[in-house]
Amino acid sequence: MSSALHDTGTANPAHVAIIMDGNGRWAKMRGLPRQEGHRRGLEALRRTVRNASDLGLSVLTLYSFSTENWRRPHAEVSFLMGLLKHFVEKDLSELADANVRVRIIGNREDLPADLRRLVEHAEARTADKTGLILVIAFNYGARDEILRAARKLAAGVAAGRLAPDAIDEAALSASLDTWDLPDPELVIRTSGETRISNFLLWQSAYAEFVFTPVLWPDFDRAAFEDALAQYRGRERRFGGLGAAALRSVDVA
C-alpha cells in the first residue's frame, strides 16, 4: 500500500489553511473598538505570512472575508474593505520582494469594480514568484464555490463539451477556485470556536484540524509551531487502517 496514504505526520504540512477568528473578542476584552481588533488582526496576518515562509510551508490559505460577512454592520464592512486595500497597497511590494505569490479565491463577480481590479493587480504583480503561495479567501464561501463549479460543469454539458458521466472528483476539483493548488493538510481555527464556517469544505475532506483558544491578534510563532507540532503527532489514515493496524494484519 502506498506510503502516501499512511503519512505518520513526521514532517510539516505543505499547505496550511487558517480561519482567522477572534478580532472582535480581542478588542472587547481590552475595552477597544472592533476596528482596533481588525487592525491588530492585520498585524497577525503579516506575522503569520513571514512565519509560514520561515517554516518552509508551500501554501498558506487565510480566510479573510466570507460571503456571509456582508451581513455585518456597514461601517465594519467598509473598514474591512479599507484594510484589504491598505494591505495590498502597502504589502504587495514586500511580498513580491520575498518571492511570495498571491492568489485570491472567492466570488469576484459580486465585488465592486475597484476591488476586483485590486485583486487582479495583486495576482498579476506576483504571478512569477516561486516561493510561498499566499492564498487569500475573500468574498469566499465553500458552498458558493461548489455551486459555481457545478454550474460551470452543467454549462459544459449543455454546450456538448462535456459528457455527464465524465464528471468525476477530478473534474469538480478542476472547476473549483483552488484548481491549481494542493488540498490543505492542516486547517487551524483560532479563538476557541470549533466549527469550519463554510471554509474549504471540499478541499479539507481529509485535512487535520487544530482548534486553538488563541485569539487571532495574539496568534504568534509559538502558537503556529504548536499547531504544527499537533499535526506532526497525528497519524493520517485517509479512511484506511493506521500503521499499527497494518502491522498487526501483516503479522497475522
Side-chain angles (χ1 to χ4, degrees):
M1 184 168 289
S2 170
S3 61
L5 293 182
H6 291 284
D7 185 353
T8 58
T10 56
N12 279 339
H15 182 178
V16 174
I18 304 179
I19 302 172
M20 306 179 292
D21 191 23
N23 290 346
R25 271 167 284 173
W26 183 94
K28 184 177 181 180
M29 288 169 60
R30 291 160 177 78
L32 299 170
R34 287 179 63 86
Q35 287 87 341
E36 183 59 24
H38 292 313
R39 270 191 289 266
R40 296 298 184 92
L42 182 57
E43 293 177 10
L45 187 157
R46 294 185 177 114
R47 184 168 62 238
T48 301
V49 172
R50 289 193 295 269
N51 287 333
S53 293
D54 292 344
L55 292 164
L57 303 187
S58 298
V59 185
L60 174 68
T61 298
L62 301 174
Y63 200 9
S64 66
F65 192 87
S66 74
T67 50
E68 292 77 23
N69 285 156
W70 294 106
R71 301 170 188 167
R72 294 187 178 187
H74 177 72
E76 183 173 358
V77 170
S78 296
F79 183 81
L80 290 170
M81 295 302 104
L83 279 185
L84 173 69
K85 293 179 181 179
H86 179 74
F87 175 73
V88 172
E89 292 166 356
K90 184 178 186 299
D91 294 70
L92 193 58
S93 292
E94 182 180 341
L95 291 170
D97 290 343
N99 201 28
V100 174
R101 177 188 168 202
V102 177
R103 282 273 280 107
I104 313 292
I105 61 173
N107 191 336
R108 301 188 186 187
E109 297 304 315
D110 295 337
L111 292 179
D114 60 332
L115 279 178
R116 195 158 57 245
R117 286 192 297 268
L118 197 69
V119 163
E120 292 167 355
H121 170 65
E123 291 186 324
R125 174 73 174 79
T126 61
D128 62 341
K129 304 308 173 184
T130 58
L132 176 72
I133 300 174
L134 173 61
V135 184
I136 303 294
F138 184 80
N139 195 31
Y140 175 86
R143 287 183 174 183
D144 174 75
E145 177 189 29
I146 293 169
L147 280 173
R148 286 186 284 109
R151 288 174 184 143
K152 186 185 302 183
L153 293 170
V157 171
R161 298 189 302 270
L162 182 67
D165 59 4
I167 300 175
D168 54 13
E169 287 190 12
L172 182 54
S173 292
S175 300
L176 296 172
D177 295 348
T178 55
W179 62 272
D180 58 341
L181 299 168
D183 289 343
E185 293 111 322
L186 172 63
V187 177
I188 302 169
R189 181 170 186 147
T190 60
S191 86
E193 300 291 350
T194 54
R195 57 182 180 274
I196 58 175
S197 296
N198 199 20
F199 182 51
L200 299 179
L201 297 178
W202 177 274
Q203 298 89 335
S204 62
Y206 284 102
E208 297 295 321
F209 286 81
V210 170
F211 299 102
T212 173
V214 176
L215 299 175
W216 176 245
D218 293 329
F219 190 79
D220 56 10
R221 177 67 172 254
F224 204 166
E225 290 187 339
D226 178 69
L228 294 175
Q230 290 188 52
Y231 170 86
R232 292 193 302 270
R234 298 178 185 178
E235 184 178 32
R236 307 189 71 214
R237 296 190 296 273
F238 300 91
L241 295 176
L246 282 175
R247 284 194 295 270
S248 68
V249 169
D250 291 341
V251 169

